[in-house]
Amino acid sequence: TPHLGNYLGAIQNWVNLQEECSSVLYSIMDMHSLTMPKEPAVLRQNILDTTAAILACGIDPKKCFLFRQSLVPKHAELAWILGCLTNVPRLLRLPQWKMKRASQNNEGTVGLLTYPVLQAADILLYKSTHVPVGEDQVLHLELAQDIAQHFNKKYGEFFPVPKAILSTTKKIKSLRDPTVKMSKSDPQKLATVNIADSPDEIVLKFRKAVTDFTSEVTYDPASRPGVSNLVSIHAAVTGLSIKEVLHQSAGLDTAHYKMVVAESVIQKFAPIRNEIKKLQEDKSHLIKVLEDGAEKAKELAAPIYQEIRRLVGFQ
Ligand code: AMP
């Protein structure tokens, strides 16, 4: 299930993009997910839960392409072709390879090393022009840009070089350590607020949020990261500015303020949480959404991939 950071830093922007742009594609990246070990039953469930969550957040399959990556096998086929244009040392230098390999405590799999090439295929298979990314993905998008240029040089101008749409939202920080970003892999359960958390869980997590020994509510991320993170969250979920939030909170101590922020988060996510639950009960609907989306994506990709096959000499 997405967390507060995913929602405020990414999903909210995706909902806006589908309103503002035509031909927007979103994919549940189940093939990428395999790079981190998972039980099959867990992966199966995660695919449906993620789909329920992003639909509940407002991604609308009528306004965009929403599909499951592994249902469009051309992603993997194109990744092979692009992999043959990519140097291994370039992949070895990517920080995600080092970080994720370290977190898995093993020497690293071929999948983990080459998934950025699969990401390039995810983008280029549709001749995508823009990709919404977080800062942590900028290097991978640069790889996709380089691969596109390399392909164009070798086989003739074909792929647009995709541009990044960088999220302008400030990083939401962990509630247990406000010097690091909120993350789904944080082992501390109280650090991360999931958008489907119950009101009780949300209250508990904010009550235990790490602040400091000053009780006033101020915004100064460098010297008061804990309380400033609460102010950022409060502003983001209410749509108010930092100044307005501080004005409203004048006179509150941080203990009371934590409960105000918890309440604003509960209010914001109550309808989404209810919708997630409703959607999770209708498994066949979720499966159909992903399958219908995959059919549409396949149609879009087919002529592009056909041309790629011709360009590389498969036809
Ligand atoms: P992840 O699940 O970590 O791959 O994150 C998916 C996307 O969510 C990232 O590309 C970011 O744009 C966004 N995101 C993740 N964590 C945060 C965070 N703590 N604050 C803001 N945005 C975030």
Side-chain angles (χ1 to χ4, degrees):
T1 317
H3 57 71
L4 208 54
N6 294 138
Y7 180 84
L8 299 171
I11 300 176
Q12 225 175 17
N13 300 336
W14 301 344
V15 173
N16 293 337
L17 278 177
Q18 74 179 0
E19 303 295 339
E20 292 159 9
C21 309
S22 62
S23 205
V24 180
L25 291 104
Y26 297 119
S27 181
I28 306 291
M29 295 298 185
D30 51 356
M31 288 163 70
H32 287 291
S33 182
L34 267 193
T35 58
M36 305 299 264
K38 249 168 227 77
E39 287 300 320
V42 172
L43 177 56
R44 229 168 264 132
Q45 191 58 44
N46 284 354
I47 290 166
L48 296 180
D49 287 347
T50 307
T51 308
I54 69 165
L55 288 173
C57 289
I59 295 293
D60 180 352
K62 291 195 197 78
K63 296 180 181 163
C64 65
F65 294 70
L66 174 64
F67 63 99
R68 211 172 114 180
Q69 182 190 27
S70 68
L71 292 178
V72 186
K74 287 192 168 51
H75 286 243
E77 291 181 47
L78 179 57
W80 179 261
I81 295 174
L82 302 183
C84 294
L85 297 173
T86 310
N87 290 326
V88 173
R90 173 82 196 264
L91 298 178
L92 289 170
R93 281 198 299 273
L94 290 170
Q96 297 267 338
W97 158 250
K98 291 180 194 147
M99 274 158 35
K100 292 191 172 168
R101 192 177 51 146
S103 76
Q104 289 185 10
N105 280 329
N106 62 32
E107 290 178 332
T109 62
V110 172
L112 191 61
L113 179 66
T114 59
Y115 87 89
V117 179
L118 180 58
Q119 287 184 314
D122 299 332
I123 296 164
L124 299 177
L125 182 58
Y126 303 95
K127 287 187 147 184
S128 305
T129 53
H130 293 80
V131 190
V133 285
E135 273 161 41
D136 52 345
Q137 289 295 321
V138 167
L139 289 176
H140 290 190
L141 185 64
E142 282 174 13
L143 177 77
Q145 292 168 338
D146 290 349
I147 293 175
Q149 278 163 335
H150 190 161
F151 185 98
N152 290 348
K153 212 166 146 204
K154 190 170 166 79
Y155 296 112
E157 211 52 40
F158 183 71
F159 290 123
V161 177
K163 293 191 178 68
I165 307 175
L166 260 178
S167 164
T168 50
T169 312
K170 285 195 194 65
K171 283 274 170 275
I172 303 299
K173 301 292 171 39
S174 151
L175 294 187
R176 297 302 296 161
D177 176 359
T179 60
V180 301
K181 69 170 193 167
M182 187 176 283
S183 150
K184 60 175 168 268
S185 54
D186 197 315
Q188 298 193 74
K189 286 229 164 346
L190 297 177
T192 305
V193 177
N194 291 316
I195 62 171
D197 277 351
S198 70
D200 284 350
E201 286 169 311
I202 294 173
V203 166
L204 176 69
K205 288 176 182 179
F206 279 97
R207 183 142 30 94
K208 299 271 181 188
V210 169
T211 48
D212 51 32
F213 298 108
T214 307
S215 67
E216 210 186 332
V217 178
T218 60
Y219 185 74
D220 181 357
S223 62
R224 301 195 65 201
V227 72
S228 302
N229 187 37
L230 298 181
V231 172
S232 294
I233 293 172
H234 191 187
V237 298
T238 55
L240 296 170
S241 67
I242 300 281
K243 207 168 145 194
E244 285 166 331
V245 161
L246 289 175
H247 183 70
Q248 269 190 9
S249 318
L252 288 179
D253 61 29
T254 43
H256 284 103
Y257 183 59
K258 285 177 182 179
M259 291 305 97
V260 171
V261 182
E263 191 49 42
S264 70
V265 171
I266 292 169
Q267 291 290 330
K268 170 79 185 173
F269 291 106
I272 292 178
R273 181 167 180 261
N274 290 338
E275 187 63 18
I276 291 176
K277 279 194 180 155
K278 218 169 84 189
L279 286 162
Q280 278 173 330
E281 281 163 19
D282 196 351
K283 203 169 141 180
S284 54
H285 170 67
L286 296 173
I287 291 171
K288 182 156 171 20
V289 165
L290 295 177
E291 285 177 354
D292 289 352
E295 287 311 308
K296 278 169 55 187
K298 278 184 196 166
E299 268 175 44
L300 194 62
I304 298 171
Y305 191 69
Q306 188 66 17
E307 187 58 14
I308 294 169
R309 281 180 58 87
R310 196 189 62 75
L311 285 170
V312 303
F314 284 167
Q315 268 178 2

